[in-house]
Amino acid sequence: MKSEITYFKINKFGFYNKKSLTEVPLFGGYEHFIQLFSNWLKKQENLGSTSTKGPDNSGNNIYCSDFYHDESSGNFVITLWNEMSNVENKVLSLSRSQSIGNSTVKEDGDENSIIGLPSYFYFIPKKDLMLHVGLPQSSDNLRSIKQYISSYFKNLSKYKQTNSDGDTYYSDSEGEDKKCQFRLVWSKYTNQAEKKSLIDKAENISKIIQKVHITKYETDDRHLVRKGWEKLNNAFNELIPNFMSDDDDSKLFKDAINEASNRDFTISSPFKCDSHLIKKIINQYDQENENGSNNLIGFRTKGSSKTIWLSDSIIKTKIDLDIKSIDKKLPTATVVFIAISEKQEEILLPVYNEDEDTMKNAVNQ
């Protein structure tokens, strides 16, 4: 199965003092998470009970559909199920009542279904490294894993305690408020040479290019109406010339717009900048695209028709993994773990310097 690996250097994982800048967590690090989370997950009745979202949290639910930890290496895989409308005119769903680890997926939904997409994350704690494993029909929502783990610690872990005034605090010892908070901070691995090359060419940049890919999401009665999509339809309809407005071609054009699954927009604008501004744009782009944004930003220099896309600096590896596609079945966490482990040396080559036994620098998000 074809996959795309994206790399993240984990800078903080655990509970840290709110004021001090300690590098080591007070508690709640990898080992604590693996032990506490796996024990908690075993006690959950079904998929529907694995959401870690608190009563005050907004947004869609995220569930854990599978989890695997390898004791010999310490590495682990978390498979999340992200509640969302679906893409490419297909609705994928898991039953709310199915057991954790059950990979059966449906292409329709009912009242007991959770419509969404899976996402796969492979952690290598000894290297402070996280891999996002992009597979066919999986979500590229990179924030989901940060949101899920953070919400688990904040809402469901044994570290959550309440004082006599009813205020919440976090501690690994009863009755002692350690003035700390959970933090999961990572950096995305990027090719710094490509960015430096663009910064050096800042004075020669003449155009900024923005490419936006918008996907039409399938939904059902339980989801909000796609108001944004309808506004786009209206805007496209206004593009039809007056002389076509009443004929059959106009109707065919409108029908094609309404039935399209995806739309792509490319906007090109004159642009001048210096090295300071281009650095600011690059840093902002890195932060915003942590969530797998569909927006692409690029630049053209004077006298060149080639677009330099910022996304090209993000280190990714496309690789065939030994994962068989089985109808109506998602790859399990164990299968993903084995497939990554078998090719781990090859997968880590883009970010691992074998001679110095050190990781390449990652850009802070």
Side-chain angles (χ1 to χ4, degrees), residues 164-200:
S164 57
D165 296 326
D167 298 323
T168 298
Y169 68 95
Y170 298 92
S171 178
D172 60 343
S173 56
E174 189 173 350
E176 182 184 359
D177 186 353
K178 295 193 173 180
K179 310 294 183 184
C180 60
Q181 62 183 353
F182 180 80
R183 300 195 67 193
L184 173 51
V185 180
W186 62 50
S187 306
K188 185 178 291 184
Y189 281 93
T190 61
N191 188 321
Q192 297 299 300
E194 290 189 13
K195 288 186 177 182
K196 184 179 183 304
S197 176
L198 182 60
I199 292 170
D200 291 342

Short mmCIF file of all heavy atoms in Angstrom, two decimals, residues 164-200:
data_model
loop_
_atom_site.label_atom_id
_atom_site.label_comp_id
_atom_site.label_asym_id
_atom_site.label_seq_id
_atom_site.Cartn_x
_atom_site.Cartn_y
_atom_site.Cartn_z
N SER A 164 -10.09 22.10 47.47
CA SER A 164 -11.28 22.33 48.29
C SER A 164 -12.21 23.39 47.72
O SER A 164 -13.40 23.44 48.03
CB SER A 164 -10.87 22.72 49.72
OG SER A 164 -10.03 23.86 49.69
N ASP A 165 -11.67 24.26 46.88
CA ASP A 165 -12.48 25.30 46.25
C ASP A 165 -13.11 24.85 44.94
O ASP A 165 -13.81 25.63 44.28
CB ASP A 165 -11.63 26.55 45.99
CG ASP A 165 -11.13 27.18 47.28
OD1 ASP A 165 -11.88 27.12 48.28
OD2 ASP A 165 -9.99 27.70 47.28
N GLY A 166 -12.83 23.62 44.55
CA GLY A 166 -13.38 23.09 43.31
C GLY A 166 -12.55 23.41 42.08
O GLY A 166 -12.98 23.16 40.95
N ASP A 167 -11.36 23.96 42.29
CA ASP A 167 -10.48 24.28 41.16
C ASP A 167 -9.65 23.06 40.76
O ASP A 167 -9.20 22.29 41.62
CB ASP A 167 -9.54 25.43 41.54
CG ASP A 167 -10.30 26.71 41.87
OD1 ASP A 167 -11.32 26.96 41.21
OD2 ASP A 167 -9.88 27.42 42.80
N THR A 168 -9.43 22.90 39.47
CA THR A 168 -8.67 21.77 38.95
C THR A 168 -7.18 22.08 38.91
O THR A 168 -6.76 23.19 38.55
CB THR A 168 -9.14 21.42 37.52
OG1 THR A 168 -10.50 21.03 37.57
CG2 THR A 168 -8.31 20.28 36.94
N TYR A 169 -6.39 21.12 39.31
CA TYR A 169 -4.93 21.22 39.18
C TYR A 169 -4.40 19.83 38.85
O TYR A 169 -5.13 18.85 38.87
CB TYR A 169 -4.28 21.78 40.45
CG TYR A 169 -4.36 20.85 41.65
CD1 TYR A 169 -3.32 20.00 41.97
CD2 TYR A 169 -5.48 20.87 42.48
CE1 TYR A 169 -3.37 19.15 43.07
CE2 TYR A 169 -5.55 20.03 43.59
CZ TYR A 169 -4.50 19.18 43.87
OH TYR A 169 -4.57 18.35 44.95
N TYR A 170 -3.10 19.76 38.50
CA TYR A 170 -2.51 18.49 38.07
C TYR A 170 -1.29 18.17 38.91
O TYR A 170 -0.43 19.03 39.14
CB TYR A 170 -2.14 18.55 36.59
CG TYR A 170 -3.36 18.77 35.71
CD1 TYR A 170 -3.75 20.06 35.36
CD2 TYR A 170 -4.12 17.70 35.27
CE1 TYR A 170 -4.88 20.28 34.57
CE2 TYR A 170 -5.25 17.91 34.49
CZ TYR A 170 -5.63 19.20 34.15
OH TYR A 170 -6.76 19.40 33.39
N SER A 171 -1.23 16.92 39.36
CA SER A 171 -0.11 16.51 40.21
C SER A 171 0.01 14.99 40.20
O SER A 171 -0.97 14.28 39.95
CB SER A 171 -0.33 17.00 41.65
OG SER A 171 0.73 16.57 42.49
N ASP A 172 1.23 14.49 40.45
CA ASP A 172 1.43 13.05 40.56
C ASP A 172 1.40 12.61 42.02
O ASP A 172 1.63 11.44 42.32
CB ASP A 172 2.74 12.63 39.91
CG ASP A 172 3.95 13.31 40.54
OD1 ASP A 172 3.75 14.33 41.24
OD2 ASP A 172 5.07 12.84 40.32
N SER A 173 1.15 13.55 42.92
CA SER A 173 1.00 13.20 44.33
C SER A 173 -0.21 13.94 44.88
O SER A 173 -0.38 15.14 44.65
CB SER A 173 2.27 13.57 45.11
OG SER A 173 2.58 14.93 44.95
N GLU A 174 -1.04 13.23 45.62
CA GLU A 174 -2.30 13.78 46.09
C GLU A 174 -2.09 14.98 47.01
O GLU A 174 -1.26 14.97 47.91
CB GLU A 174 -3.09 12.69 46.84
CG GLU A 174 -4.51 13.10 47.18
CD GLU A 174 -5.30 11.97 47.77
OE1 GLU A 174 -4.81 10.81 47.73
OE2 GLU A 174 -6.40 12.21 48.27
N GLY A 175 -2.87 16.03 46.74
CA GLY A 175 -2.86 17.20 47.60
C GLY A 175 -1.76 18.19 47.33
O GLY A 175 -1.64 19.19 48.04
N GLU A 176 -0.93 17.96 46.33
CA GLU A 176 0.19 18.88 46.04
C GLU A 176 0.03 19.48 44.65
O GLU A 176 0.20 18.81 43.64
CB GLU A 176 1.52 18.14 46.12
CG GLU A 176 2.73 19.05 45.89
CD GLU A 176 4.04 18.29 45.88
OE1 GLU A 176 4.01 17.05 46.08
OE2 GLU A 176 5.08 18.92 45.68
N ASP A 177 -0.31 20.74 44.59
CA ASP A 177 -0.46 21.45 43.32
C ASP A 177 0.92 21.87 42.83
O ASP A 177 1.58 22.72 43.43
CB ASP A 177 -1.35 22.68 43.52
CG ASP A 177 -1.66 23.39 42.20
OD1 ASP A 177 -1.07 23.00 41.17
OD2 ASP A 177 -2.49 24.30 42.20
N LYS A 178 1.36 21.25 41.74
CA LYS A 178 2.71 21.52 41.24
C LYS A 178 2.76 22.63 40.19
O LYS A 178 3.79 22.83 39.54
CB LYS A 178 3.32 20.23 40.68
CG LYS A 178 3.54 19.17 41.75
CD LYS A 178 4.43 18.04 41.27
CE LYS A 178 4.77 17.10 42.42
NZ LYS A 178 5.63 15.98 42.00
N LYS A 179 1.63 23.33 40.04
CA LYS A 179 1.61 24.49 39.14
C LYS A 179 2.14 24.13 37.75
O LYS A 179 3.05 24.77 37.21
CB LYS A 179 2.42 25.65 39.71
CG LYS A 179 2.10 26.04 41.14
CD LYS A 179 0.70 26.60 41.27
CE LYS A 179 0.44 27.04 42.72
NZ LYS A 179 -0.95 27.52 42.91
N CYS A 180 1.62 23.08 37.20
CA CYS A 180 2.14 22.61 35.92
C CYS A 180 1.01 22.44 34.91
O CYS A 180 -0.17 22.48 35.25
CB CYS A 180 2.89 21.29 36.10
SG CYS A 180 1.87 19.98 36.78
N GLN A 181 1.39 22.22 33.66
CA GLN A 181 0.43 21.98 32.59
C GLN A 181 1.00 20.97 31.61
O GLN A 181 2.23 20.85 31.47
CB GLN A 181 0.10 23.28 31.85
CG GLN A 181 1.31 23.92 31.17
CD GLN A 181 0.97 25.24 30.51
OE1 GLN A 181 -0.20 25.63 30.45
NE2 GLN A 181 1.97 25.93 30.00
N PHE A 182 0.09 20.24 30.94
CA PHE A 182 0.56 19.26 29.95
C PHE A 182 0.94 19.98 28.67
O PHE A 182 0.23 20.88 28.21
CB PHE A 182 -0.51 18.22 29.66
CG PHE A 182 -0.05 17.20 28.64
CD1 PHE A 182 0.76 16.14 29.03
CD2 PHE A 182 -0.39 17.32 27.29
CE1 PHE A 182 1.23 15.22 28.10
CE2 PHE A 182 0.08 16.41 26.36
CZ PHE A 182 0.87 15.35 26.77
N ARG A 183 2.06 19.54 28.10
CA ARG A 183 2.51 20.12 26.84
C ARG A 183 2.97 19.03 25.88
O ARG A 183 3.75 18.15 26.26
CB ARG A 183 3.66 21.12 27.08
CG ARG A 183 3.30 22.29 27.99
CD ARG A 183 4.33 23.38 27.89
NE ARG A 183 4.32 24.00 26.57
CZ ARG A 183 5.28 24.81 26.10
NH1 ARG A 183 6.34 25.04 26.85
NH2 ARG A 183 5.19 25.34 24.91
N LEU A 184 2.46 19.11 24.67
CA LEU A 184 2.95 18.28 23.56
C LEU A 184 3.35 19.24 22.46
O LEU A 184 2.51 19.84 21.79
CB LEU A 184 1.87 17.31 23.09
CG LEU A 184 2.18 16.48 21.83
CD1 LEU A 184 3.53 15.79 21.94
CD2 LEU A 184 1.08 15.46 21.57
N VAL A 185 4.65 19.42 22.33
CA VAL A 185 5.20 20.39 21.37
C VAL A 185 6.11 19.66 20.40
O VAL A 185 6.96 18.87 20.82
CB VAL A 185 6.00 21.49 22.09
CG1 VAL A 185 6.56 22.50 21.09
CG2 VAL A 185 5.13 22.19 23.13
N TRP A 186 5.91 19.90 19.12
CA TRP A 186 6.78 19.26 18.14
C TRP A 186 7.30 20.26 17.12
O TRP A 186 6.84 21.39 17.03
CB TRP A 186 6.07 18.11 17.44
CG TRP A 186 4.84 18.47 16.64
CD1 TRP A 186 4.69 19.45 15.70
CD2 TRP A 186 3.57 17.81 16.72
NE1 TRP A 186 3.43 19.45 15.18
CE2 TRP A 186 2.72 18.45 15.78
CE3 TRP A 186 3.08 16.74 17.45
CZ2 TRP A 186 1.39 18.04 15.58
CZ3 TRP A 186 1.76 16.34 17.25
CH2 TRP A 186 0.94 16.99 16.34
N SER A 187 8.28 19.83 16.35
CA SER A 187 8.83 20.60 15.25
C SER A 187 8.78 19.74 13.99
O SER A 187 9.03 18.54 14.05
CB SER A 187 10.29 20.99 15.51
OG SER A 187 10.42 21.64 16.75
N LYS A 188 8.44 20.37 12.90
CA LYS A 188 8.35 19.65 11.64
C LYS A 188 9.71 19.64 10.95
O LYS A 188 10.39 20.67 10.87
CB LYS A 188 7.31 20.31 10.74
CG LYS A 188 7.03 19.58 9.44
CD LYS A 188 5.94 20.32 8.65
CE LYS A 188 4.61 20.20 9.32
NZ LYS A 188 3.52 20.83 8.52
N TYR A 189 10.12 18.48 10.46
CA TYR A 189 11.40 18.39 9.75
C TYR A 189 11.27 19.00 8.36
O TYR A 189 10.40 18.63 7.58
CB TYR A 189 11.84 16.93 9.63
CG TYR A 189 12.46 16.40 10.89
CD1 TYR A 189 11.68 15.73 11.84
CD2 TYR A 189 13.81 16.58 11.16
CE1 TYR A 189 12.25 15.25 13.01
CE2 TYR A 189 14.38 16.10 12.33
CZ TYR A 189 13.59 15.44 13.25
OH TYR A 189 14.15 14.98 14.42
N THR A 190 12.14 19.95 8.07
CA THR A 190 12.12 20.61 6.78
C THR A 190 13.53 20.70 6.22
O THR A 190 14.51 20.59 6.95
CB THR A 190 11.55 22.04 6.89
OG1 THR A 190 12.37 22.80 7.78
CG2 THR A 190 10.11 22.03 7.39
N ASN A 191 13.61 20.91 4.92
CA ASN A 191 14.89 21.07 4.25
C ASN A 191 15.32 22.53 4.38
O ASN A 191 14.81 23.41 3.68
CB ASN A 191 14.76 20.68 2.78
CG ASN A 191 16.10 20.64 2.08
OD1 ASN A 191 16.96 21.47 2.32
ND2 ASN A 191 16.27 19.66 1.21
N GLN A 192 16.23 22.79 5.30
CA GLN A 192 16.64 24.16 5.57
C GLN A 192 17.40 24.80 4.40
O GLN A 192 17.33 26.01 4.20
CB GLN A 192 17.52 24.19 6.83
CG GLN A 192 16.79 23.73 8.09
CD GLN A 192 15.61 24.61 8.43
OE1 GLN A 192 15.77 25.81 8.65
NE2 GLN A 192 14.42 24.03 8.46
N ALA A 193 18.08 23.98 3.61
CA ALA A 193 18.83 24.51 2.46
C ALA A 193 17.89 25.15 1.44
O ALA A 193 18.19 26.20 0.87
CB ALA A 193 19.65 23.40 1.81
N GLU A 194 16.73 24.51 1.21
CA GLU A 194 15.77 25.07 0.24
C GLU A 194 15.21 26.39 0.74
O GLU A 194 15.00 27.33 -0.03
CB GLU A 194 14.65 24.06 -0.01
CG GLU A 194 15.09 22.83 -0.79
CD GLU A 194 13.91 21.96 -1.20
OE1 GLU A 194 12.76 22.43 -1.09
OE2 GLU A 194 14.14 20.82 -1.63
N LYS A 195 14.94 26.46 2.04
CA LYS A 195 14.42 27.71 2.59
C LYS A 195 15.46 28.82 2.52
O LYS A 195 15.15 29.96 2.20
CB LYS A 195 13.99 27.49 4.04
CG LYS A 195 12.73 26.66 4.18
CD LYS A 195 12.29 26.60 5.62
CE LYS A 195 10.98 25.84 5.74
NZ LYS A 195 10.49 25.78 7.13
N LYS A 196 16.71 28.48 2.82
CA LYS A 196 17.78 29.48 2.77
C LYS A 196 17.95 30.01 1.35
O LYS A 196 18.17 31.20 1.13
CB LYS A 196 19.10 28.88 3.26
CG LYS A 196 20.25 29.89 3.34
CD LYS A 196 21.51 29.25 3.86
CE LYS A 196 22.63 30.31 4.00
NZ LYS A 196 22.90 31.02 2.76
N SER A 197 17.82 29.10 0.38
CA SER A 197 17.94 29.50 -1.03
C SER A 197 16.86 30.51 -1.40
O SER A 197 17.13 31.50 -2.09
CB SER A 197 17.85 28.27 -1.92
OG SER A 197 17.87 28.63 -3.29
N LEU A 198 15.64 30.29 -0.91
CA LEU A 198 14.55 31.21 -1.20
C LEU A 198 14.78 32.56 -0.50
O LEU A 198 14.55 33.62 -1.10
CB LEU A 198 13.22 30.61 -0.74
CG LEU A 198 11.96 31.43 -1.03
CD1 LEU A 198 11.79 31.67 -2.52
CD2 LEU A 198 10.72 30.74 -0.47
N ILE A 199 15.25 32.51 0.75
CA ILE A 199 15.52 33.75 1.48
C ILE A 199 16.61 34.56 0.78
O ILE A 199 16.52 35.79 0.68
CB ILE A 199 15.92 33.43 2.94
CG1 ILE A 199 14.73 32.84 3.69
CG2 ILE A 199 16.44 34.67 3.65
CD1 ILE A 199 15.08 32.26 5.04
N ASP A 200 17.63 33.88 0.27
CA ASP A 200 18.72 34.56 -0.44
C ASP A 200 18.22 35.22 -1.73
O ASP A 200 18.81 36.19 -2.20
CB ASP A 200 19.84 33.56 -0.77
CG ASP A 200 20.58 33.08 0.47
OD1 ASP A 200 20.47 33.76 1.52
OD2 ASP A 200 21.25 32.04 0.40
#
